PDB file of all heavy atoms in Angstrom:
ATOM      1  N   ASN A  17      23.002  -1.727   3.144  1.00  0.00           N
ATOM      2  CA  ASN A  17      22.571  -0.508   3.826  1.00  0.00           C
ATOM      3  C   ASN A  17      21.527  -0.815   4.882  1.00  0.00           C
ATOM      4  O   ASN A  17      21.543  -0.251   5.975  1.00  0.00           O
ATOM      5  CB  ASN A  17      22.009   0.493   2.815  1.00  0.00           C
ATOM      6  CG  ASN A  17      23.083   1.090   1.934  1.00  0.00           C
ATOM      7  OD1 ASN A  17      24.258   1.094   2.302  1.00  0.00           O
ATOM      8  ND2 ASN A  17      22.691   1.590   0.773  1.00  0.00           N
ATOM      9  N   THR A  18      20.591  -1.720   4.537  1.00  0.00           N
ATOM     10  CA  THR A  18      19.580  -2.119   5.517  1.00  0.00           C
ATOM     11  C   THR A  18      20.233  -2.778   6.717  1.00  0.00           C
ATOM     12  O   THR A  18      19.874  -2.522   7.866  1.00  0.00           O
ATOM     13  CB  THR A  18      18.567  -3.087   4.876  1.00  0.00           C
ATOM     14  OG1 THR A  18      17.932  -2.431   3.790  1.00  0.00           O
ATOM     15  CG2 THR A  18      17.513  -3.517   5.882  1.00  0.00           C
ATOM     16  N   SER A  19      21.220  -3.647   6.468  1.00  0.00           N
ATOM     17  CA  SER A  19      21.908  -4.321   7.563  1.00  0.00           C
ATOM     18  C   SER A  19      22.615  -3.324   8.464  1.00  0.00           C
ATOM     19  O   SER A  19      22.574  -3.430   9.687  1.00  0.00           O
ATOM     20  CB  SER A  19      22.922  -5.323   6.990  1.00  0.00           C
ATOM     21  OG  SER A  19      23.642  -5.950   8.021  1.00  0.00           O
ATOM     22  N   LYS A  20      23.264  -2.309   7.861  1.00  0.00           N
ATOM     23  CA  LYS A  20      23.942  -1.297   8.650  1.00  0.00           C
ATOM     24  C   LYS A  20      22.954  -0.510   9.499  1.00  0.00           C
ATOM     25  O   LYS A  20      23.215  -0.196  10.658  1.00  0.00           O
ATOM     26  CB  LYS A  20      24.703  -0.344   7.719  1.00  0.00           C
ATOM     27  CG  LYS A  20      25.939  -0.965   7.078  1.00  0.00           C
ATOM     28  CD  LYS A  20      26.618   0.029   6.150  1.00  0.00           C
ATOM     29  CE  LYS A  20      27.863  -0.587   5.510  1.00  0.00           C
ATOM     30  NZ  LYS A  20      28.502   0.357   4.557  1.00  0.00           N
ATOM     31  N   LEU A  21      21.789  -0.184   8.907  1.00  0.00           N
ATOM     32  CA  LEU A  21      20.774   0.537   9.665  1.00  0.00           C
ATOM     33  C   LEU A  21      20.304  -0.264  10.861  1.00  0.00           C
ATOM     34  O   LEU A  21      20.138   0.247  11.967  1.00  0.00           O
ATOM     35  CB  LEU A  21      19.573   0.874   8.751  1.00  0.00           C
ATOM     36  CG  LEU A  21      19.776   2.032   7.779  1.00  0.00           C
ATOM     37  CD1 LEU A  21      18.640   2.045   6.763  1.00  0.00           C
ATOM     38  CD2 LEU A  21      19.824   3.354   8.531  1.00  0.00           C
ATOM     39  N   LEU A  22      20.087  -1.576  10.650  1.00  0.00           N
ATOM     40  CA  LEU A  22      19.621  -2.426  11.736  1.00  0.00           C
ATOM     41  C   LEU A  22      20.688  -2.578  12.812  1.00  0.00           C
ATOM     42  O   LEU A  22      20.371  -2.660  14.000  1.00  0.00           O
ATOM     43  CB  LEU A  22      19.209  -3.800  11.191  1.00  0.00           C
ATOM     44  CG  LEU A  22      17.918  -3.791  10.376  1.00  0.00           C
ATOM     45  CD1 LEU A  22      17.674  -5.165   9.763  1.00  0.00           C
ATOM     46  CD2 LEU A  22      16.726  -3.391  11.228  1.00  0.00           C
ATOM     47  N   ASN A  23      21.963  -2.606  12.416  1.00  0.00           N
ATOM     48  CA  ASN A  23      23.030  -2.651  13.411  1.00  0.00           C
ATOM     49  C   ASN A  23      23.028  -1.395  14.267  1.00  0.00           C
ATOM     50  O   ASN A  23      23.207  -1.451  15.479  1.00  0.00           O
ATOM     51  CB  ASN A  23      24.393  -2.804  12.717  1.00  0.00           C
ATOM     52  CG  ASN A  23      24.613  -4.201  12.187  1.00  0.00           C
ATOM     53  OD1 ASN A  23      23.995  -5.157  12.665  1.00  0.00           O
ATOM     54  ND2 ASN A  23      25.475  -4.336  11.189  1.00  0.00           N
ATOM     55  N   ASN A  24      22.815  -0.251  13.612  1.00  0.00           N
ATOM     56  CA  ASN A  24      22.726   0.988  14.369  1.00  0.00           C
ATOM     57  C   ASN A  24      21.534   0.983  15.297  1.00  0.00           C
ATOM     58  O   ASN A  24      21.587   1.492  16.419  1.00  0.00           O
ATOM     59  CB  ASN A  24      22.614   2.185  13.407  1.00  0.00           C
ATOM     60  CG  ASN A  24      23.900   2.421  12.650  1.00  0.00           C
ATOM     61  OD1 ASN A  24      24.974   2.065  13.123  1.00  0.00           O
ATOM     62  ND2 ASN A  24      23.789   3.021  11.463  1.00  0.00           N
ATOM     63  N   VAL A  25      20.408   0.387  14.808  1.00  0.00           N
ATOM     64  CA  VAL A  25      19.214   0.273  15.631  1.00  0.00           C
ATOM     65  C   VAL A  25      19.502  -0.534  16.889  1.00  0.00           C
ATOM     66  O   VAL A  25      19.134  -0.171  17.994  1.00  0.00           O
ATOM     67  CB  VAL A  25      18.068  -0.386  14.819  1.00  0.00           C
ATOM     68  CG1 VAL A  25      16.967  -0.861  15.736  1.00  0.00           C
ATOM     69  CG2 VAL A  25      17.512   0.601  13.815  1.00  0.00           C
ATOM     70  N   ASN A  26      20.183  -1.678  16.727  1.00  0.00           N
ATOM     71  CA  ASN A  26      20.468  -2.546  17.868  1.00  0.00           C
ATOM     72  C   ASN A  26      21.308  -1.829  18.921  1.00  0.00           C
ATOM     73  O   ASN A  26      21.182  -2.075  20.116  1.00  0.00           O
ATOM     74  CB  ASN A  26      21.188  -3.805  17.391  1.00  0.00           C
ATOM     75  CG  ASN A  26      20.280  -4.709  16.574  1.00  0.00           C
ATOM     76  OD1 ASN A  26      19.071  -4.670  16.747  1.00  0.00           O
ATOM     77  ND2 ASN A  26      20.847  -5.491  15.682  1.00  0.00           N
ATOM     78  N   LYS A  27      22.184  -0.923  18.470  1.00  0.00           N
ATOM     79  CA  LYS A  27      23.035  -0.203  19.393  1.00  0.00           C
ATOM     80  C   LYS A  27      22.275   0.884  20.146  1.00  0.00           C
ATOM     81  O   LYS A  27      22.627   1.250  21.260  1.00  0.00           O
ATOM     82  CB  LYS A  27      24.200   0.437  18.630  1.00  0.00           C
ATOM     83  CG  LYS A  27      25.175  -0.574  18.048  1.00  0.00           C
ATOM     84  CD  LYS A  27      26.263   0.122  17.247  1.00  0.00           C
ATOM     85  CE  LYS A  27      27.221  -0.883  16.619  1.00  0.00           C
ATOM     86  NZ  LYS A  27      28.250  -0.214  15.780  1.00  0.00           N
ATOM     87  N   SER A  28      21.212   1.432  19.483  1.00  0.00           N
ATOM     88  CA  SER A  28      20.560   2.600  20.055  1.00  0.00           C
ATOM     89  C   SER A  28      19.213   2.323  20.694  1.00  0.00           C
ATOM     90  O   SER A  28      18.678   3.162  21.394  1.00  0.00           O
ATOM     91  CB  SER A  28      20.361   3.666  18.965  1.00  0.00           C
ATOM     92  OG  SER A  28      19.522   3.181  17.942  1.00  0.00           O
ATOM     93  N   THR A  29      18.633   1.125  20.462  1.00  0.00           N
ATOM     94  CA  THR A  29      17.282   0.867  20.941  1.00  0.00           C
ATOM     95  C   THR A  29      17.161   1.023  22.449  1.00  0.00           C
ATOM     96  O   THR A  29      16.183   1.553  22.960  1.00  0.00           O
ATOM     97  CB  THR A  29      16.822  -0.545  20.512  1.00  0.00           C
ATOM     98  OG1 THR A  29      16.814  -0.618  19.105  1.00  0.00           O
ATOM     99  CG2 THR A  29      15.436  -0.848  21.046  1.00  0.00           C
ATOM    100  N   PRO A  44      13.678   1.956  16.617  1.00  0.00           N
ATOM    101  CA  PRO A  44      13.250   3.323  16.921  1.00  0.00           C
ATOM    102  C   PRO A  44      12.284   3.824  15.859  1.00  0.00           C
ATOM    103  O   PRO A  44      12.465   3.575  14.674  1.00  0.00           O
ATOM    104  CB  PRO A  44      14.568   4.111  16.902  1.00  0.00           C
ATOM    105  CG  PRO A  44      15.613   3.098  17.230  1.00  0.00           C
ATOM    106  CD  PRO A  44      15.144   1.832  16.574  1.00  0.00           C
ATOM    107  N   MET A  47      13.356   5.454  12.633  1.00  0.00           N
ATOM    108  CA  MET A  47      14.109   4.650  11.669  1.00  0.00           C
ATOM    109  C   MET A  47      13.213   3.870  10.719  1.00  0.00           C
ATOM    110  O   MET A  47      13.654   3.465   9.645  1.00  0.00           O
ATOM    111  CB  MET A  47      15.004   3.651  12.415  1.00  0.00           C
ATOM    112  CG  MET A  47      16.083   4.276  13.279  1.00  0.00           C
ATOM    113  SD  MET A  47      17.375   5.036  12.289  1.00  0.00           S
ATOM    114  CE  MET A  47      18.175   3.579  11.622  1.00  0.00           C
TER     115      MET A  47
END
Side-chain angles (χ1 to χ4, degrees):
N17 289 338
T18 300
S19 178
K20 288 179 180 178
L21 284 168
L22 289 174
N23 286 337
N24 291 334
V25 164
N26 291 334
K27 293 177 182 177
S28 62
T29 299
M47 296 290 289

